Amino acid sequence: VTSDSSGYSYLHGVSCPSATTCVAVGYDTNGQSVTTTGAYSGGTWTWSAEASVTPDGTGRGYLNAVSCPTATTCVAVGDDATSQSVTTSGTLSGGVWTWTTEVAVTSNSSGHGDLNAVSCPTATTCVAVGYDSNGQGITSTGTYSGGSWTWTTEVAITSDSSGRGYLRGVSCPSATTCVAVGYDTNGQSVTTSGT
């Protein structure tokens, strides 16, 4: 994949809303979030040059995951230069993806959050997970209405007996059910589910 002007980048998440289209996200060496789109044709994947996403007021963005509930809409999550969770949404129109400026998600009482995974079971609902500065798993729910996404304040998930949990992946098979996975401070795998 051709990187942006920074010369180097790291893709961290991908979502494929169809058998012939995928969207990947990550960040470059300048701390700017990037996206690229893959198209499958004639037995070969072709990827667009990476494009930067406008960061929030901190000037930096690091996208970790993306979910595309439809062929023309995607939602990505990550964090910014001050360890605040951020989100951005992409829309495909006229063959071109346009991404919104990254917006910070309100953290819980720890003051910081890092969203590592997102799943959008419908075009208007997404669930993201990660961890806060206290090493507690967190979750936030996004709702699309009136042309924009609104995200709930991050909520800590009760950890196992180790006292800490770091959620790294989530999948929502329906609009009312999600399962998240990660690990605890002892290096043991953990799971949690939400309804």
Side-chain angles (χ1 to χ4, degrees), residues 4-84:
D4 65 2
S5 59
S6 74
Y8 298 94
S9 59
Y10 312 91
L11 295 176
H12 278 251
V14 63
S15 181
C16 302
S18 75
T20 58
T21 303
C22 293
V23 175
V25 301
Y27 50 88
D28 67 19
T29 55
N30 294 327
Q32 299 294 305
S33 296
V34 296
T35 67
T36 179
T37 306
Y40 184 78
S41 179
T44 303
W45 283 94
T46 303
W47 291 85
S48 66
E50 291 174 350
S52 297
V53 178
T54 304
D56 65 7
T58 69
R60 297 281 186 268
Y62 307 89
L63 293 178
N64 296 318
V66 62
S67 180
C68 301
T70 74
T72 58
T73 58
C74 295
V75 173
V77 300
D79 60 285
D80 67 16
T82 60
S83 296
Q84 294 293 314

Side-chain angles (χ1 to χ4, degrees), residues 12 27 62-65 77-80 82-86 105-118 127-140 153-160 162-170 180-185 188 190 192:
H12 278 251
Y27 50 88
Y62 307 89
L63 293 178
N64 296 318
V77 300
D79 60 285
D80 67 16
T82 60
S83 296
Q84 294 293 314
S85 299
V86 295
V105 177
T106 303
S107 62
N108 62 14
S109 59
S110 77
H112 299 284
D114 184 2
L115 293 176
N116 287 288
V118 61
V127 174
V129 300
Y131 52 87
D132 66 17
S133 58
N134 293 328
Q136 299 296 306
I138 56 172
T139 183
S140 177
T153 298
E154 292 170 347
V155 175
I157 305 296
T158 302
S159 63
D160 65 9
S162 76
R164 301 202 187 282
Y166 304 89
L167 297 179
R168 304 293 297 200
V170 64
V181 299
Y183 54 91
D184 68 15
T185 194
Q188 298 296 306
V190 297
T192 183

Side-chain angles (χ1 to χ4, degrees), residues 53-57 87-89 99-104:
V53 178
T54 304
D56 65 7
T87 69
T88 178
S89 58
W99 292 83
T100 62
T101 298
E102 292 175 346
V103 175

Side-chain angles (χ1 to χ4, degrees), residues 176-180 192-195:
T176 58
T177 306
C178 294
V179 175
T192 183
S193 59
T195 56

